[in-house]
Amino acid sequence: MDPSSDSGPSTSSVQDASNEFIQYLLKLCPVVLETEEATLNGVLTSPDNLGKLKRFCTEGKTPVFVIQKVTESSNEDGERNANPALGRVDKIIVDLEVQFLGDKVTTLIFAKKNSDSALNEAGQSSRSIASQLQLINIGEGTPSEIMHNYMHNAFAPFFRDYVTRTGSKRQAKASSSTGNTADKQGGLGVVNQKFAELELSLYNCQQDVQIQEVSLAIHPDVKTASKKSKELGKTLKPEDLGEKASSPQFLNGLQAGVNVWGKDIQRVTKLKRIESMPPNGDKLQVCFHFI
C-alpha cells in the first residue's frame, strides 16, 4: 500500500474541489454582491485567498467560508471593484471566520452542513457543492436589525410551523405510548418560547440602537445661577437671575434655546420606526445630557 494514501487528500482532489467551489461562487456571488465576475475571480484566486479556499474545501475543522463586500470612499490598497456610477469603491474580503466590519458591509457566509468534514470527501463524491453548504446572506444594517429580521420573518415562523405540523404525530404517539413523549413535546414548546423571547429582545435592542441621544444646552447664565443655588441648598427661582430675569434680550435668548430643544426632541420622537411601534411597545428611552 502506498504510505502516502493516508496522508490526506491528493493534490488532484484538492484542485478539483477548489475549482468546483470557485465555479459555484462565481455563479452565485456576483449577483448577490453586485460585483463583476472577473473582479471576484481575481479576489478568490489571489495566493492568500486561494489558500483559505483550499483549507475550507479540504479541512474538516473549517466550517465556514466568508465573503464580505465593504463599501469604501477612499483608495486604500486591496481588492476593489470600482463603481464610478455611484462614486464608490467596493473592497472584497475573504475569510474563514465570521466578523462584523460595519453597517455598510454585505456578508455571505457559506457554512458546511457537516462542519467536521471536507467538501466532496470519500462517500460524498456524488454530492454537489451546493448540497453540502448552507448560505446565509447578511446584508447591510446593524446586527440587531439583521438578526431580528431573520428571526421574525424566517427562523421563528419556520420552527413554529414545524411544531404545528408535528404536533398531531406527537400526540398520537403519546396516546399509544407510556413513555415521556409529553416531556419531549414540552421541550419543543420551551424552544418555541425562547425564540419568541429572543425575537422580542432583538426588537428592543434595535430600538435602543437607533434612537439618537439628545443634548439640551443650558444658557450659561442659568447654569451659573443654578450652581450657586445648589451650593446654598436652594431651589433655583427666576429672581435668582437678578435683572436678567426681566431683560427682553435675555428672555428672547432663553426662548430661542427652548425652540432648539423642541426641534432636537422632535427629531427623535418623530422617527418613522418609533411611529410604527405597537401601542404596547417598549418604553422609549431618551438620554438627555444637560451641559
Side-chain angles (χ1 to χ4, degrees):
M1 179 182 293
D2 185 356
S4 64
S5 61
D6 295 329
S7 61
S10 65
T11 303
S12 60
S13 64
V14 171
Q15 191 65 37
D16 290 343
S18 299
N19 289 339
E20 185 178 352
F21 186 43
I22 289 176
Q23 293 305 312
Y24 168 76
L25 295 176
L26 292 178
K27 290 179 180 178
L28 176 66
C29 295
V31 177
V32 181
L33 294 175
E34 296 181 319
T35 189
E36 297 295 330
E37 181 177 325
T39 301
L40 180 62
N41 185 59
V43 174
L44 294 175
T45 55
S46 67
D48 183 51
N49 291 334
L50 189 59
K52 295 176 182 177
L53 189 143
K54 289 181 178 180
R55 282 182 56 195
F56 176 73
C57 292
T58 61
E59 295 183 6
K61 298 298 182 181
T62 308
V64 295
F65 186 83
V66 183
I67 301 178
Q68 295 178 289
K69 185 183 77 171
V70 183
T71 300
E72 298 182 335
S73 57
S74 60
N75 291 322
E76 300 173 357
D77 295 334
E79 312 290 355
R80 285 167 172 76
N81 170 36
N83 192 337
L86 298 178
R88 71 185 188 190
V89 178
D90 297 332
K91 179 179 180 180
I92 307 295
I93 298 174
V94 172
D95 211 333
L96 297 177
E97 294 182 352
V98 180
Q99 54 184 336
F100 175 71
L101 299 180
D103 296 351
K104 300 298 181 181
V105 178
T106 300
T107 302
L108 295 182
I109 303 171
F110 298 87
K112 294 176 181 176
K113 292 182 179 179
N114 185 355
S115 59
D116 293 328
S117 67
L119 295 183
N120 282 328
E121 65 180 10
Q124 295 183 332
S125 57
S126 61
R127 300 182 61 189
S128 66
I129 290 290
S131 67
Q132 300 176 62
L133 298 175
Q134 292 174 317
L135 170 61
I136 303 175
N137 178 11
I138 302 179
E140 296 183 359
T142 65
S144 56
E145 282 180 322
I146 296 168
M147 294 179 67
H148 177 265
N149 188 40
Y150 268 111
M151 286 298 303
H152 182 68
N153 296 314
F155 296 143
F158 177 75
F159 189 79
R160 284 196 297 268
D161 188 63
Y162 162 73
V163 173
T164 300
R165 289 175 181 271
T166 59
S168 58
K169 296 180 180 180
R170 291 195 303 271
Q171 290 174 0
K173 290 182 179 180
S175 62
S176 60
S177 173
T178 58
N180 59 348
T181 308
D183 293 338
K184 295 179 180 178
Q185 185 174 357
L188 289 175
V190 170
V191 174
N192 203 19
Q193 180 182 351
K194 294 300 181 182
F195 270 141
E197 292 175 0
L198 176 58
E199 186 179 342
L200 178 60
S201 296
L202 289 170
Y203 178 82
N204 293 341
C205 181
Q206 185 176 338
Q207 301 307 313
D208 292 339
V209 168
Q210 293 186 345
I211 297 173
Q212 60 185 355
E213 292 185 349
V214 176
S215 297
L216 303 182
I218 308 298
H219 193 286
D221 292 332
V222 175
K223 287 179 62 177
T224 301
S226 176
K227 184 178 180 180
K228 291 181 178 179
S229 296
K230 288 181 179 180
E231 292 175 351
L232 297 174
K234 297 168 48 181
T235 300
L236 180 63
K237 297 180 180 180
E239 51 266 27
D240 294 331
L241 296 171
E243 297 180 355
K244 291 183 178 180
S246 58
S247 169
Q249 183 177 359
F250 176 75
L251 294 177
N252 289 337
L254 288 181
Q255 183 62 55
V258 172
N259 292 339
V260 173
W261 287 10
K263 292 179 180 180
D264 290 342
I265 293 173
Q266 286 178 355
R267 282 207 310 268
V268 175
T269 58
K270 290 187 177 182
L271 288 175
K272 291 183 179 180
R273 184 171 299 280
I274 295 174
E275 290 176 349
S276 64
M277 288 177 64
N280 294 327
D282 309 290
K283 293 181 179 178
L284 178 63
Q285 297 180 351
V286 181
C287 181
F288 297 115
H289 293 289
F290 292 91
I291 301 174

